[in-house]
Amino acid sequence: QVRLVESGGDSVQAGGSLRLSCEASGITATSGTVGWFRQVPGKEREGVASIWRRTGATFYADSVKGRLTISQDNVKNTVYLQINSLEPEDTGMYYCASDDAHLSKWYDRREYRYWGQGTQVTVSS
């Protein structure tokens, strides 16, 4: 059974940093794709970063490039999302998602088979 558990969300001031974690079980640590998505009420879930587990290739949305870093610890089977210089616009529920394939459309939520429950990030100005 596949399980993704996010953690690390918090309420922070603008300019701060957070590291979100996505701990996976039931999936291979060295294959497939893990993506991070952000959702705010009334808007669609948008992909912000993704990683191909086998090669470590990373992908980012243009809107967050330079402030987000996605990484993985294959021993812990955990994928991290480091967010620096937090802005109020970063506020939202952050979900991690996984699929068995190396996804070219990593930003498309419909490509992912497995989802976690999310962790809330709130950034105040």
Side-chain angles (χ1 to χ4, degrees):
Q1 181 181 359
V2 176
R3 190 164 181 241
L4 302 174
V5 179
E6 302 95 332
S7 62
D10 203 350
S11 294
V12 297
Q13 294 279 339
S17 298
L18 281 176
R19 189 176 81 158
L20 308 182
S21 299
C22 173
E23 184 174 356
S25 57
I27 59 173
T28 304
T30 55
S31 68
T33 301
V34 170
W36 280 98
F37 287 75
R38 176 175 65 206
Q39 187 167 27
V40 297
K43 292 190 176 181
E44 284 201 9
R45 199 169 292 189
E46 61 168 342
V48 294
S50 183
I51 187 167
W52 287 356
R53 304 296 306 271
R54 183 175 63 83
T55 65
T58 58
F59 308 92
Y60 299 94
D62 288 342
S63 60
V64 300
K65 270 183 182 175
R67 295 193 303 113
L68 271 61
T69 303
I70 189 170
S71 61
Q72 62 182 349
D73 182 329
N74 290 346
V75 174
K76 296 182 179 179
N77 203 358
T78 299
V79 174
Y80 303 99
L81 184 69
Q82 177 74 33
I83 313 175
N84 296 326
S85 302
L86 279 157
E87 303 169 351
E89 291 73 23
D90 293 318
T91 295
M93 185 70 80
Y94 283 72
Y95 298 89
C96 74
S98 176
D99 193 82
D100 297 333
H102 280 153
L103 300 176
S104 56
K105 293 184 180 179
W106 63 268
Y107 47 84
D108 189 339
R109 60 181 173 81
R110 297 170 295 181
E111 298 286 314
Y112 291 83
R113 184 173 181 184
Y114 308 107
W115 289 86
Q117 294 301 306
T119 186
Q120 177 68 37
V121 171
T122 303
V123 184
S124 56
S125 56

